[in-house]
Amino acid sequence: MKTLSIFSSIIILIFIIQPVMAQPGSLDESFGTGGIITAPLTTHGEHGYAATIQPDGKILVAGFQDVSGNQNFAVARYNTNGSLDNSFGTGGLVLFDAGTESDAAWALALQDDGKIILGGSVYNQNTTFDDYALVRLNSDGTPDNTFGTGGLVITDIDGYWDNAYAMVLQTDGKILLAGEGYITSNRKVCVVRYNTDGTLDASFGAGGIAIHVIGCGEERTRAIALQADGKIIVAGYFNEGIDDQTFVTRFNSDGTVDNTFGNNGTATLDIAGNDDQFWTLYILPDGKILAGGTTDPADDPDYLLVKYLSDGTLDNSFGSNGMALNNFGVNDFLKAMIVDADGKILTAGGGFSFELIRFLDTGYPDTDFGTNGIVNTSIGNFCFAHSVCLQADGRIVVSGHSNDGNDYDLAVARYHAAEGSYVDEQSALFAHVNVFPNPVLSGNNINLEYTLEEDEELSIELLSINGKLLEVLSEKQNSKAGPHKESFKLPGHLSAGIYFMRLTSSQGSAVVRLDIQ
């Protein structure tokens, strides 16, 4: 009977703990409101197309502000908890007007010194039309006047429709901006390389500009990646009058086409006469290449993932003969991709919702993530995801924009990657954090010890295992540098399980695990 009683208690405890366990793919409730940020930053619409995470964990999202059809470069910075960083720009937002009719950032990069580069295009009506454009900002969001003219560089390729959509930084700090240049009456593959001051790098291509012609039709470059040996991979799609076909092209580091790759430098793909497009690239540690996008049978786009060997031939060990095609629902648009430390592939996109999917390195969905590998998050009336990033702790950040019924706003969502626990990066402000007794009974007193490196204003919070705020134990108290010991009475209604105490300051936070019995 005693054995049965113990067994029953264990079963009950399992059912008590299970609901609060953070599941892979679940929203991180410690971020924003229920894991989501979406709020109008101005009275006009804002669109997000690119994002990155700073070394301090702050999140940058870039795109453009739309004012009655006219656009300005826009970038917002968020703190690690999802609040806007008021030390950046105006209330966390920077708007940059290039002085043209429409300016848009489609790409974003962060230099080692903290400076921020926006890559995209500007539009000069009836003059040079669309041109490549770069904007460099200081870490506080002010224009970097040492770059170009007032932080702005504009490059006209051929006087017509030159649009840049992808960017990557070389290890020497030079900037590669890729897109399409209007050459011989059509759009062609075009990569431009800039020196660190924004001037064209004359050692690359012809005066800093490398152009590659695949065929006689339109060629639209949408992604760029850099190999470890300095060679440059670009990808996108082209159309010669029948349907869209994908391409992957490799350039040598000097801007010449690498003819050892694919067929004379380019690998193309046409799947059953569908419209096929590549939107994102990733170079794997072994030199193999992942390209992602869509294939469109019967006007219903499906996810397309393709893996190439380093010479541009398909890797037949991936998916089916090198390709993974998936129909997850209506309008499956794959727009962004990243690979985690375990080799699993995270993709973001979707039509009218944030669609986050995790694939195994074989090309098949990871059924341990979300629902059979898929997580759909509806934000506002409808929304579109264009970027996916990984934090240092493995959590996943997806960004884009959503519509609230009036206009578009930047939208960001954060997800757990692994089952088990909420973990926050520890700020250097905290030299020591400890809690005891641990484990502790619900409703009992708990002691918190911590040491501060300098004076600071602190809040102390109790969180669930998935980061949801349960109770503020102490709010914005002035604390001196040095050791501290405080006691708190825990709420008596807490179920047995894993919880966290979080100390939050203007410089970051520290988290300590708490087991409640």
Side-chain angles (χ1 to χ4, degrees):
M1 185 63 69
K2 183 177 180 180
T3 302
L4 181 59
S5 176
I6 293 172
F7 177 76
S8 300
S9 298
I10 292 171
I11 294 298
I12 292 170
L13 184 61
I14 288 171
F15 280 100
I16 289 172
I17 293 175
Q18 191 174 20
V20 298
M21 294 294 283
Q23 300 299 316
S26 62
L27 285 163
D28 175 6
E29 295 186 21
S30 72
F31 184 78
T33 302
I36 297 169
I37 304 165
T38 176
L41 300 180
T42 69
T43 56
H44 304 286
E46 295 91 33
H47 298 242
Y49 284 95
T52 192
I53 297 176
Q54 297 184 168
D56 61 3
K58 292 182 180 181
I59 302 163
L60 290 163
V61 180
F64 60 84
Q65 178 199 52
D66 193 330
V67 183
S68 301
N70 291 324
Q71 300 162 357
N72 295 314
F73 289 101
V75 57
R77 188 161 72 192
Y78 299 90
N79 296 310
T80 55
N81 65 358
S83 62
L84 282 164
D85 178 7
N86 290 322
S87 69
F88 184 77
T90 302
L93 175 68
V94 171
L95 298 173
F96 187 98
D97 184 355
T100 61
E101 285 82 359
S102 293
D103 323 321
W106 307 105
L108 170 67
L110 189 66
Q111 294 186 173
D112 291 339
D113 61 3
K115 291 184 179 181
I116 301 156
I117 301 178
L118 309 179
S121 309
V122 297
Y123 178 67
N124 290 288
Q125 187 175 12
N126 299 324
T127 54
T128 57
F129 298 95
D130 292 312
D131 298 319
Y132 278 34
L134 291 173
V135 173
R136 190 161 74 187
L137 305 172
N138 297 308
S139 59
D140 62 357
T142 56
D144 177 9
N145 292 321
T146 68
F147 186 80
T149 303
L152 174 67
V153 171
I154 295 175
T155 305
D156 176 27
I157 309 298
D158 196 33
Y160 289 99
W161 293 282
D162 310 316
N163 300 99
Y165 292 97
M167 178 172 58
V168 68
L169 301 185
Q170 296 186 169
T171 55
D172 59 4
K174 291 183 179 180
I175 305 158
L176 289 163
L177 190 59
E180 51 210 39
Y182 196 80
I183 308 296
T184 60
S185 301
N186 229 325
R187 291 176 170 88
K188 299 300 176 184
V189 178
C190 180
V191 181
V192 179
R193 190 160 74 189
Y194 301 86
N195 296 308
T196 56
D197 62 357
T199 57
L200 289 168
D201 178 7
S203 68
F204 183 80
I209 301 169
I211 294 171
H212 178 56
V213 177
I214 295 173
C216 60
E218 287 195 342
E219 299 157 11
R220 299 181 179 270
T221 303
R222 292 295 183 267
I224 187 169
L226 202 59
Q227 293 188 172
D229 61 1
K231 291 185 178 182
I232 303 154
I233 305 284
V234 298
Y237 57 97
F238 67 101
N239 191 306
E240 295 190 320
I242 300 175
D243 61 1
D244 291 338
Q245 302 177 44
T246 68
F247 74 83
V248 179
T249 295
R250 188 161 71 193
F251 292 88
N252 295 307
S253 60
D254 62 358
T256 58
V257 173
D258 179 6
N259 290 321
T260 67
F261 183 84
N263 182 14
N264 294 321
T266 300
T268 64
L269 193 62
D270 186 12
I271 303 172
N274 300 330
D275 281 328
D276 311 311
Q277 301 176 353
F278 281 152
W279 288 83
T280 184
L281 276 172
Y282 193 91
I283 309 296
L284 295 166
D286 61 3
K288 294 180 181 180
I289 302 158
L290 279 172
T294 60
T295 183
D296 191 0
D299 295 321
D300 179 17
D302 295 335
Y303 262 52
L304 172 64
L305 271 177
V306 180
K307 190 173 183 180
Y308 295 91
L309 301 174
S310 59
D311 63 357
T313 57
L314 292 171
D315 180 358
N316 291 326
S317 69
F318 184 82
S320 175
N321 299 317
M323 295 180 286
L325 285 69
N326 288 275
N327 182 0
F328 296 113
V330 178
N331 292 328
D332 295 317
F333 293 100
L334 193 165
K335 291 296 181 71
M337 173 172 55
I338 198 166
V339 178
D340 68 17
D342 296 325
K344 293 178 180 178
I345 306 161
L346 287 157
T347 66
F352 311 116
S353 71
F354 274 22
E355 194 169 66
L356 173 64
I357 301 172
R358 190 164 75 184
F359 294 87
L360 302 172
D361 59 5
T362 57
Y364 295 97
D366 179 4
T367 56
D368 291 332
F369 185 83
T371 302
N372 296 319
I374 310 159
V375 175
N376 272 297
T377 306
S378 295
I379 305 174
N381 291 352
F382 48 87
C383 54
F384 301 91
H386 289 277
S387 180
V388 59
C389 303
L390 279 173
Q391 292 188 172
D393 59 14
R395 280 179 290 179
I396 306 158
V397 176
V398 177
S399 64
H401 44 263
S402 67
N403 192 295
D404 62 1
N406 296 313
D407 53 28
Y408 281 99
D409 303 311
L410 298 185
V412 187
R414 189 163 73 189
Y415 303 85
H416 293 286
E419 184 174 10
S421 64
Y422 161 78
V423 179
D424 207 18
E425 292 185 52
Q426 306 292 92
S427 168
L429 172 70
F430 302 94
H432 165 77
V433 181
N434 185 40
V435 64
F436 65 93
N438 194 10
V440 64
L441 294 175
S442 179
N444 280 14
N445 289 334
I446 191 76
N447 298 300
L448 175 67
E449 292 181 334
Y450 58 94
T451 301
L452 294 178
E453 294 291 341
E454 57 186 86
D455 295 355
E456 187 55 278
E457 187 179 72
L458 292 183
S459 292
I460 300 171
E461 303 159 328
L462 180 67
L463 310 175
S464 72
I465 194 171
N466 62 352
K468 182 178 182 180
L469 177 63
L470 301 178
E471 186 165 327
V472 178
L473 302 174
S474 176
E475 187 171 14
K476 293 185 178 179
Q477 66 178 14
N478 291 315
S479 300
K480 297 291 185 181
H484 293 262
K485 179 180 177 182
E486 298 183 35
S487 294
F488 302 96
K489 185 174 177 61
L490 295 172
H493 58 79
L494 299 176
S495 302
I498 300 169
Y499 295 80
F500 293 91
M501 293 183 73
R502 179 171 65 186
L503 293 78
T504 303
S505 74
S506 63
Q507 300 184 46
S509 60
V511 172
V512 61
R513 172 173 166 156
L514 178 64
D515 294 332
I516 295 181
Q517 295 182 338

